[in-house]
Amino acid sequence: MNPYALLAAAIASELVATVSLKLSEGFSNPLPSVGVVVGYGAAFVLLSFVLEELPVGLVYATWAALGIVGIAAVGVVAFGETVDLAGVAGIASIILGVVLLNVVSGMSAH
């Protein structure tokens, strides 16, 4: 399977787990607590498959960065969190870094 598709699935699993962690209320709410364990478990299993084909630095940087951007977006949309101009600049910098790593840099596997 395409390692970038698996990486996208790992990132999505991490986002589900992180949202579940917020909803678990300190693991006192059972259903979201299960989502935390399953989501993070799936994320790491998928990430292990990705690492068979792509360099660890590239994979981890992409996974972490897109997880940060994704969960920030979820926070705004689902939880009413706010992002100021400095936050927008930071998120844009993270996205630019991912693009540079995956498209321009020699680190990528293209």
Side-chain angles (χ1 to χ4, degrees):
M1 183 165 209
N2 181 327
Y4 284 100
L6 291 174
L7 182 56
I11 293 165
S13 295
E14 180 193 16
L15 292 175
V16 167
T18 303
V19 169
S20 296
L21 187 59
K22 172 127 176 107
L23 297 174
S24 76
E25 300 175 2
F27 288 98
S28 64
N29 194 345
L31 187 58
S33 298
V34 170
V36 172
V37 174
V38 171
Y40 282 129
F44 281 106
V45 168
L46 291 165
L47 199 62
S48 73
F49 295 139
V50 175
L51 289 171
E52 292 178 356
E53 296 190 43
L54 298 177
V56 68
L58 173 78
V59 170
Y60 192 77
T62 303
W63 180 54
L66 295 181
I68 291 167
V69 171
I71 205 62
V74 168
V76 169
V77 172
F79 300 111
E81 298 173 0
T82 59
V83 179
D84 60 11
L85 186 57
V88 171
I91 290 169
S93 297
I94 292 168
I95 293 169
L96 178 61
V98 170
V99 170
L100 289 173
L101 262 173
N102 283 280
V103 178
V104 178
S105 171
M107 287 181 68
S108 68
H110 60 265

